[in-house]
């Protein structure tokens, strides 16, 4: 089965005065996938998605969304896409059902918004005003509003910012449900864990440019690192023990905190090797834990800094 290209971006450029927001960005989004644009604030994610929605005019480049030009065919594009609303778009005193009923009137054909209430867990909140909803409930309402026109493509911009972990995971489940119904999702986020857990493919942006694009798993594999063991020492690391640790894996020393990175093709029991060495050398340690490489490590490798710096 051939998968159709839903979004095609070629050499997108957008500036604001002397500031270059997006520079020579190109990518494709395939039908039925969750595609993420990830990177720190100011990386160019929101500018890119607003150009695709037809809200901003690019300075340069070619854009195709569902085979349409976002600038020239914006009316048809809005009919076939769902766009996440921002909090300020809904009056504080408007009830949940009123918001859905009002926005349904904007489209010639919509899905049943009462069914959406049930599917998104908002049935009990139908008569509550917007101001009384929790952060997670507000985001569920935004998803419901985006789904009203039964869109082929849904744009979500930093949907889980400000949510607690439990609410964030609930929103992830909802987005997967949307994808499973055959919809295509393009989202932006600066949470690397979110992109890793949710997206089929990701484009990592930094300073307006794409620095990597692939599946999260492929990007992580490209690091060439395996399991990581982290622990703290009660005393200063001696040169002899540091040398011994170096035979187990690549080490990084930050005061009393020691990190040992193993090779993917190396020992299958890095943690056992480290603990055995610590025990044999009678080195006292605490707070030992293991980690797997992730997209945060990919961003650090590509840019030389952590995403939240």
């Amino acid at each position: 089965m051939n998968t159709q290209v839903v979004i095609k971006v070629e050499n997108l450029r957008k500036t604001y005065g002397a500031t270059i927001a997006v520079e020579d960005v190109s990518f494709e989004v395939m039908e039925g996938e969750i595609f993420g644009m990830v990177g720190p604030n100011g990386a160019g994610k929101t500018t890119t998605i607003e150009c695709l929605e037809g809200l901003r005019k690019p300075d340069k480049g070619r854009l195709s969304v569902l085979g349409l030009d976002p600038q020239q065919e914006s009316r048809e594009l809005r009919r076939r896409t769902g766009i996440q609303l921002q909090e300020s778009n809904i009056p504080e005193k408007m009830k949940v059902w009123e918001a859905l009923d009002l926005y349904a009137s904007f489209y010639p054909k919509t899905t049943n918004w009462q069914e959406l209430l049930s599917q998104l867990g908002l049935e009990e909140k139908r008569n509550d005003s917007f101001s009384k909803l929790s952060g997670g409930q507000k985001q569920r309402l935004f998803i419901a509003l985006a789904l009203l026109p039964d869109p082929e493509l849904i744009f979500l911009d930093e949907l889980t910012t400000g949510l607690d972990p439990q609410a964030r995971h609930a929103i992830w489940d909802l987005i997967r449900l949307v994808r499973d119904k055959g919809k295509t999702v393009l989202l932006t986020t600066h949470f690397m864990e979110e992109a890793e857990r949710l997206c089929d493919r990701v484009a990592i942006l930094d300073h307006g440019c794409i620095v990597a694009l692939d599946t999260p798993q492929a990007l992580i594999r490209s690091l060439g690192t395996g399991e990581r063991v982290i622990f703290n020492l009660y005393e200063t690391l001696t040169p002899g023990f540091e040398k011994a640790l170096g035979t187990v894996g690549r080490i990084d020393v930050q005061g009393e905190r020691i990190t040992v990175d193993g090779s993917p093709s190396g020992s299958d029991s890095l943690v056992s090797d480290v603990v055995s060495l610590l025990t044999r050398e009678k080195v006292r340690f605490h707070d030992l834990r293991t980690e797997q490489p992730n997209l945060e490590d990919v961003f650090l490798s590509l840019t030389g800094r952590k995403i939240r710096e």
Side-chain angles (χ1 to χ4, degrees):
M1 182 177 68
N2 294 326
T3 303
Q4 294 184 350
V5 176
V6 174
I7 295 175
K8 189 175 183 63
V9 179
E10 297 179 279
N11 309 115
L12 175 63
R13 188 175 196 268
K14 179 63 180 177
T15 62
Y16 302 104
T19 302
I20 299 175
V22 179
E23 179 66 273
D24 199 29
V25 164
S26 300
F27 63 89
E28 293 181 349
V29 178
M30 311 307 291
E31 182 181 22
E33 75 173 336
I34 300 176
F35 185 93
M37 292 189 293
V38 303
N41 293 330
K45 306 185 303 295
T46 296
T47 294
T48 300
I49 203 171
E50 288 181 346
C51 288
L52 291 170
E53 293 168 344
L55 301 178
R56 294 191 184 277
K57 185 177 181 180
D59 298 328
K60 180 183 176 183
R62 297 178 60 187
L63 305 180
S64 173
V65 182
L66 297 172
L68 304 171
D69 182 319
Q71 290 295 314
Q72 302 299 321
E73 300 170 283
S74 60
R75 183 184 295 273
E76 174 67 10
L77 182 63
R78 288 188 177 89
R79 187 183 67 81
R80 298 172 60 187
T81 59
I83 299 176
Q84 167 202 341
L85 298 174
Q86 296 298 322
E87 189 168 320
S88 59
N89 293 105
I90 300 179
E92 293 291 310
K93 294 183 179 180
M94 180 173 283
K95 295 179 180 179
V96 169
W97 76 265
E98 290 175 331
L100 287 162
D101 190 54
L102 173 64
Y103 281 90
S105 69
F106 298 160
Y107 303 100
K109 181 182 178 182
T110 64
T111 190
N112 188 315
W113 62 259
Q114 299 194 49
E115 290 182 2
L116 282 177
L117 277 178
S118 177
Q119 292 171 356
L120 298 180
L122 290 172
E123 183 63 41
E124 294 182 357
K125 300 294 180 179
R126 61 179 294 133
N127 291 314
D128 286 8
S129 63
F130 181 76
S131 62
K132 292 183 178 179
L133 300 180
S134 68
Q137 290 163 351
K138 288 178 180 179
Q139 301 296 49
R140 287 168 183 256
L141 177 57
F142 295 152
I143 292 177
L145 294 172
L147 291 175
L148 267 178
D150 194 22
E152 301 165 53
L153 169 66
I154 301 165
F155 293 106
L156 304 172
D157 190 12
E158 301 284 3
L159 184 64
T160 64
T161 297
L163 298 186
D164 60 60
Q166 182 177 359
R168 182 173 295 126
H169 281 261
I171 294 298
W172 294 351
D173 289 339
L174 290 174
I175 295 173
R176 292 188 189 99
L177 178 63
V178 169
R179 188 265 314 275
D180 292 343
K181 290 182 176 180
K183 312 297 184 183
T184 303
V185 179
L186 173 63
L187 61 85
T188 73
T189 180
H190 62 273
F191 295 118
M192 287 299 194
E193 180 191 4
E194 180 165 277
E196 186 176 335
R197 299 278 293 274
L198 193 59
C199 297
D200 298 301
R201 290 190 302 136
V202 296
I204 299 179
L205 279 76
D206 189 41
H207 297 301
C209 299
I210 292 180
V211 295
L213 195 164
D214 210 326
T215 66
Q217 297 76 18
L219 290 171
I220 292 169
R221 284 196 302 268
S222 71
L223 289 172
T225 58
E227 188 179 29
R228 171 180 299 153
V229 177
I230 303 169
F231 59 92
N232 284 24
L233 295 178
Y234 283 106
E235 58 261 339
T236 303
L237 182 66
T238 64
F241 182 64
E242 182 174 350
K243 184 177 180 180
L245 267 181
T247 65
V248 176
R250 183 171 58 85
I251 68 171
D252 178 63
V253 181
Q254 299 290 335
E256 296 178 349
R257 185 175 183 268
I258 312 298
T259 302
V260 183
D261 285 309
S263 169
S265 58
S267 171
D268 292 331
S269 56
L270 178 65
V271 64
S272 297
D273 292 343
V274 171
V275 172
S276 295
L277 182 60
L278 290 166
T279 303
R280 185 173 68 247
E281 298 294 328
K282 298 181 180 180
V283 175
R284 297 188 305 146
F285 64 94
H286 61 100
D287 298 333
L288 185 144
R289 66 184 189 277
T290 62
E291 290 182 356
Q292 298 295 326
N294 53 37
L295 280 182
E296 289 274 4
D297 298 308
V298 174
F299 186 83
L300 177 61
S301 175
L302 291 170
T303 66
R305 70 183 193 281
K306 295 181 178 180
I307 192 169
R308 292 180 179 83
E309 290 181 353

